Structures are given as structure tokens and as C-alpha cells.
């Protein structure tokens, strides 16, 4: 593991540095073990708050990056590469012959209400592409609901305006290839 420790100072390199930045959402690497541990704990809690299968998976992966000192070396508290016991429950089962899917209880628990709010009956979805489309549509619906609430409140609207302007500029500078998502 390319984490170097000298006294209380640490230095992350390679995959560990990439994983830390991606999983914590930070834009700089920690310089002490205490700073590293704190960032991992905060990020794990934030991922759990998403209350979605993806959020739970990211919380698990982020928390597995906690470090402990063992034989004067820093090692991960839980090395996911050394175990096969953890399996994220399936959202749906797929018939490999027909390509049809059926949601598991886990999938229904995590997506039925979200889809219902967007006007989608989860029981009518029977393909992976239909599931992907339903996710995109429900995200778009949720984002619109938030925007309507923001723009109905003048104080919130003023607070979010710089973000909206920056997003508009970014979309102009980096046009998305997936126009259908933005045009839905």
C-alpha cells in the first residue's frame, strides 16, 4: 500500500490517493493520519445519508479505507480485496434468455417510492434499459422539484444563482454527448 508515514505525517500516492479524493469528494490530500481518518468518517456518514443502494455501497467502500497501525505499518482496517463475503444485494433478477428483469424486495424497497413520485410504476419495468431510463427520469423529476422549491423562495434563489450560472457556463464549455438526458 503506497501510504508513507513519518511520525504523525502521512503521504498518499497512487490508487490510495485517487480513492481518497474520489470517495471523500475533497480536492486535496490529507497530511496527517488524524486528518485522513476524520475525512473518511465524514465521507462515510455523508454517503450513508443518501439512503440509496449506491450510497450504501460507497459508504461501505469509503469506510473500508480506514487505516490502522499494525507492526509499525499503516494497513486498511478492512481489505475488501481479501474477502468474498460481502455482496451488495441485487436490485433485480434477470432472465438471461429473455432479458426480462424482476425487482427483488431490496430493489422495490429502494426504488418503488422514488419512481412513484416521478409517475413511474416500478412493476411495469421489465428490462435493464427501462430501469436505466426510470432512474434518469426520476432523477430529473427530483431535480426539477428541488429547482421549483428553490426558485419559489427568493432567498434560496439568490443563494443558488451563482451555482446555476456556473453550471450553465460549464454546459456551454463542455457539451454533453448524452443530449437525450438533458432534453428529456
Amino acid at each position: 500500500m503506497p501510504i508513507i508515514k513519518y511520525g504523525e505525517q502521512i503521504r498518499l500516492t497512487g490508487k490510495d490517493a485517487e480513492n481518497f479524493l474520489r470517495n471523500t469528494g475533497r480536492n486535496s490530500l490529507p497530511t496527517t493520519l488524524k486528518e485522513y481518518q476524520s475525512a473518511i468518517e465524514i465521507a462515510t456518514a455523508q454517503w450513508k445519508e443518501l439512503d440509496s443502494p449506491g450510497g450504501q455501497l460507497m459508504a461501505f467502500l469509503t469506510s473500508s479505507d480506514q487505516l490502522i497501525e499494525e507492526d509499525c505499518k499503516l494497513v486498511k482496517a478492512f481489505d475488501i480485496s481479501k474477502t468474498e463475503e460481502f455482496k451488495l444485494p441485487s436490485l433485480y433478477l434477470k432472465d438471461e434468455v429473455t432479458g426480462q428483469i424482476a425487482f427483488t424486495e431490496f430493489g422495490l424497497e429502494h426504488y418503488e417510492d422514488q419512481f412513484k413520485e416521478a409517475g413511474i410504476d416500478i412493476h411495469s419495468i421489465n428490462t435493464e434499459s427501462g430501469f436505466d431510463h426510470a432512474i434518469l427520469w426520476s432523477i430529473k423529476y427530483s431535480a426539477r422539484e428541488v429547482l421549483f422549491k428553490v426558485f419559489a423562495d427568493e432567498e434560496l434563489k439568490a443563494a443558488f444563482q451563482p451555482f446555476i450560472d456556473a453550471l450553465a457556463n460549464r454546459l456551454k464549455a463542455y457539451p454533453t454527448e448524452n443530449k437525450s438526458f438533458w432534453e428529456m
Side-chain angles (χ1 to χ4, degrees), residues 9-23:
Q9 301 293 311
I10 63 168
R11 184 172 194 189
L12 274 69
T13 60
K15 273 286 194 208
D16 288 310
E18 289 176 32
N19 288 343
F20 177 84
L21 295 173
R22 181 187 62 240
N23 294 347

Side-chain angles (χ1 to χ4, degrees), residues 39-54:
I40 293 293
E41 288 172 11
I42 290 168
T44 298
Q46 290 171 335
W47 282 117
K48 284 181 181 177
E49 285 178 13
L50 291 178
D51 195 29
S52 69

